[in-house]
Amino acid sequence: MRVRFTLPGDRIATIEEFEGLDGVYQHSDGMLRASRVGKVTYDLKQRYVRVNGLKSILLPKVGDHVIGFVHMLTSNSANIRIVYINELRSDARFDAIYIGRGKIKVQNMFRVGDMVRAKVASILNGYIHVTFRDSNLGVIYTRCNQCGGEVVRLNAEEVKCVECNAVSSRKLAEDYGNVNALRCS
Ligand SMILES: [Zn+2]
């Protein structure tokens, strides 16, 4: 299940869909909205929704660098589980979304499991959208998608497996292979 976080005032559901419990209020527009920063939990059987508050939560902001791993891919989007915000570890399990707009399919830029560095482009109603436009953004660690072996960077868009020699496409960060890169620049 996708974990969504909320800021106060974010829309969560309509009053027809769910009953709001802790951390939720009913706005005059007929929407249930969050009354605090937290994570949304929907109980689909009982039709309840609540927002569990998060203590000392580190919220990503527009312009922040994030590091995370790709855990879902389609031809034009990637979901990234955030592990670091700037240089600070984040345990809140935020998901960032990347929507491809160029000619290159997102599934040719990444593979599931890749560690990537991205920049937060916008945050809209709890969804963190990221961009990979700069050369320091992209994959910072990946494995061969044929055999799981170690790969080396060939150029900005390709890696080669040292074990089976398979070449495959990635959108690589310029410092790919620098394992200190578990820090953002
Ligand atoms: Zn291989």
Side-chain angles (χ1 to χ4, degrees), residues 69-84:
F69 58 90
V70 175
H71 68 92
M72 211 169 83
L73 266 181
T74 70
S75 63
N76 73 336
S77 72
N79 283 46
I80 298 145
R81 173 65 44 79
I82 295 175
V83 183
Y84 289 91

Side-chain angles (χ1 to χ4, degrees), residues 144 146-149 161 163-166:
C144 173
Q146 302 292 322
C147 75
C161 178
E163 286 170 40
C164 76
N165 290 324

